[in-house]
Amino acid sequence: RKCLLRDEEDLSYLMDLCRLSTEGCCDHLLMIMIRGGRQRTIINLLCNIKLRHIVISFIGTAVLYSFAQRKQHNMMKMGSSITSAASTTAFNMPRIGLGTFGLNPAEAKTTINEALSLGYRLFDCAPVYFNEDAVGDAFHEATTGVPRSDVFITSKLAGPFHRPDHVEPALRKTLNDLRLGYLDLFLIHWPVAFKYVDFDPSVRGWDNEDIDDSEGGKLIDTTVSLRDTWHAMESLVDKGLVKHIGVSNFPVMLLHDLLSYSRIPPAVNQVEIHPYNQQPKLLEYCNSRNITVQAYSPLGTPGFKESDEPHILSDPVLNEMAKSKGITVAQLCLQWSLQRGCSIIAKSSNIRHLEENLVVNYKNEFVTGAVQLSSDEMDKIAALDRGYRFFRPEDWWPENPVPVFH
């Protein structure tokens, strides 16, 4: 270290080099040799001491292997995966993604393939959607030729697996179901732990829905700390199993507390946002702390709401505004969220709706003909806020009410 390394950055780089060598990340090593600079200097210095032959032999093998693999990599199907993800990758998430909540497993292959063909590059999954194995098969069998590296895939940690010892096995189960080597983003689904549910890690899919059954709140585990869960999530980044970590359904004060002890801060807070539940204070806080707000149910879950609940797509103000601009109410709601700085998870298996919902492309550029809302129009939509939630956990857990949002 005294002879070769100028500072902690050099030491960190050398440790990364050793890690990359064991994980077979040859493209990264090739980039170093081409780019030069301080990192190549370290390699050259190593080559001037007793490690010369070892280092040269390894790098030569790595470079040859990388060239041999490059053509194959360019032709990879969606199902191909790598064993780990570099934790230093910059956060670059598509602003519109396809949600898989409620996606019929029988429709997964067609829907995923159509979405990829249309230009979707973000897919939002979760174990409690009970379709990750079908979604994984759809990724693997996709015929679009989109490489894995071009797609951003999110999944979530279910309630029974919040204890630190259970976090990594739960992730590996999700990776096996999705037939992936890593996730781009892994979220804590809800800030409430359930009692552990055992599972066979070698079996894809779930035989039942026990992991989403709290027996009305009786199975909520009040002994599990979010701090401990988060530190276990951080270790997943360290191990290269996920690129980024985040949370879902976290109110401001839980976020504020999490940031006080996090070594790796949450990249995303995925929450319910639509014109009837706008959460401006949460959005303001997340923006101030560099946390991306991702809106789920941006149209108000029209396919899952109760009959006596409000129907956002029928709102007269939104309908009049959409008609005047020549767009659908759904497109209006999505545009509104985008202009507020949110990213969006929208769900549909209808190809026409899939196409309509994609108002920005995978490069996060507004598509041709996208309509911008004026400040007056944004103000009119802001006036519709009534703080109405379609997802109310206190209704799910009457035996042990945990009012997450109050």
Side-chain angles (χ1 to χ4, degrees):
R1 177 180 177 182
K2 290 181 180 179
C3 296
L4 301 179
L5 307 178
R6 292 190 308 201
D7 51 27
E8 293 297 323
E9 181 179 355
D10 283 355
L11 177 60
S12 174
Y13 166 70
L14 185 58
M15 293 174 68
D16 283 345
L17 180 63
C18 294
R19 177 177 61 81
L20 288 166
S21 70
T22 62
E23 295 176 351
C25 299
C26 302
D27 281 349
H28 187 76
L29 289 168
L30 177 61
M31 180 180 65
I32 291 170
M33 295 305 294
I34 294 173
R35 185 175 58 206
R38 179 61 184 164
Q39 294 178 343
R40 187 169 70 180
T41 299
I42 295 173
I43 295 176
N44 288 339
L45 288 169
L46 284 170
C47 293
N48 287 329
I49 59 176
K50 294 181 180 179
L51 296 178
R52 171 192 299 270
H53 297 294
I54 296 174
V55 173
I56 290 177
S57 297
F58 169 72
I59 292 176
T61 302
V63 170
L64 291 173
Y65 178 82
S66 182
F67 277 120
Q69 292 294 309
R70 189 166 301 278
K71 183 174 181 180
Q72 179 181 355
H73 172 78
N74 289 337
M75 298 299 292
M76 280 198 308
K77 284 187 175 182
M78 181 56 217
S80 300
S81 62
I82 61 175
T83 57
S84 66
S87 61
T88 55
T89 303
F91 188 63
N92 184 23
M93 181 175 66
R95 294 191 67 194
I96 290 186
L98 179 67
T100 60
F101 172 63
L103 178 62
N104 187 328
E107 298 177 349
K109 182 176 180 180
T110 300
T111 301
I112 296 295
N113 213 51
E114 288 176 344
L116 286 166
S117 297
L118 288 171
Y120 282 87
R121 294 296 181 268
L122 167 60
F123 296 86
D124 182 75
C125 312
V128 297
Y129 300 164
F130 300 107
N131 57 14
E132 284 194 323
D133 54 336
V135 171
D137 290 341
F139 285 148
H140 191 74
E141 298 168 13
T143 59
T144 59
V146 178
R148 169 67 181 96
S149 57
D150 286 355
V151 180
F152 194 103
I153 300 176
T154 299
S155 189
K156 307 175 186 75
L157 179 71
F161 311 123
H162 279 212
R163 286 195 181 277
D165 290 347
H166 301 150
V167 172
E168 184 175 330
L171 169 67
R172 290 187 180 276
K173 161 70 171 164
T174 278
L175 292 175
N176 187 38
D177 284 351
L178 291 173
R179 301 178 72 167
L180 299 174
Y182 69 92
L183 288 179
D184 297 277
L185 179 64
F186 194 44
L187 307 176
I188 297 177
H189 203 157
W190 285 90
V192 178
F194 292 173
K195 294 188 183 300
Y196 177 68
V197 176
D198 197 17
F199 63 91
D200 184 345
S202 66
V203 176
R204 297 180 67 236
W206 298 92
D207 293 332
N208 53 57
E209 297 188 2
D210 288 354
I211 63 169
D212 197 34
D213 183 7
S214 69
E215 292 188 10
K218 293 178 182 179
L219 298 183
I220 288 177
D221 191 342
T222 59
T223 68
V224 181
S225 163
L226 279 173
R227 179 193 290 254
D228 292 341
T229 303
W230 187 254
H231 289 329
M233 296 280 286
E234 291 173 323
S235 72
L236 303 177
V237 180
D238 298 335
K239 294 178 180 180
L241 295 171
V242 301
K243 287 187 176 182
H244 308 283
I245 51 178
V247 296
S248 181
N249 301 299
F250 270 50
V252 166
M253 289 314 298
L254 279 181
L255 277 176
H256 194 66
D257 184 57
L258 187 154
L259 288 168
S260 72
Y261 56 74
S262 59
R263 176 172 56 87
I264 301 174
V268 168
N269 186 20
Q270 187 185 104
V271 294
E272 179 184 347
I273 287 184
H274 45 71
Y276 288 176
N277 187 48
Q278 301 185 18
Q279 305 205 64
K281 295 297 184 182
L282 175 68
L283 186 58
E284 180 182 5
Y285 179 82
C286 289
N287 287 340
S288 73
R289 302 304 298 268
N290 199 31
I291 300 171
T292 297
V293 174
Q294 190 172 61
Y296 71 76
S297 298
L299 310 179
T301 64
F304 297 93
K305 74 177 189 66
E306 301 294 334
S307 59
D308 59 344
E309 291 188 292
H311 189 220
I312 292 175
L313 297 183
S314 298
D315 184 274
V317 174
L318 297 176
N319 273 270
E320 181 180 354
M321 191 180 300
K323 184 177 180 180
S324 71
K325 303 186 83 65
I327 58 177
T328 67
V329 177
Q331 289 173 319
L332 179 72
C333 291
L334 298 179
Q335 182 67 33
W336 168 79
S337 277
L338 290 169
Q339 287 187 213
R340 297 178 81 217
C342 297
S343 69
I344 299 168
I345 297 298
K347 187 268 171 184
S348 181
S349 56
N350 180 295
I351 189 167
R352 180 172 63 85
H353 292 160
L354 284 170
E355 190 169 8
E356 286 179 353
N357 291 347
L358 201 64
V359 295
V360 296
N361 62 24
Y362 64 91
K363 296 180 180 179
N364 288 333
E365 301 165 337
F366 283 102
V367 298
T368 303
V371 175
Q372 295 290 308
L373 303 180
S374 68
S375 58
D376 286 345
E377 289 168 331
M378 294 292 288
D379 289 343
K380 285 182 180 180
I381 298 176
L384 300 177
D385 191 10
R386 58 180 79 175
Y388 189 88
R389 296 179 184 274
F390 292 93
F391 294 88
R392 301 179 295 274
E394 60 271 21
D395 293 350
W396 310 334
W397 309 323
E399 298 295 326
N400 189 5
V402 181
V404 174
F405 305 118
H406 300 280

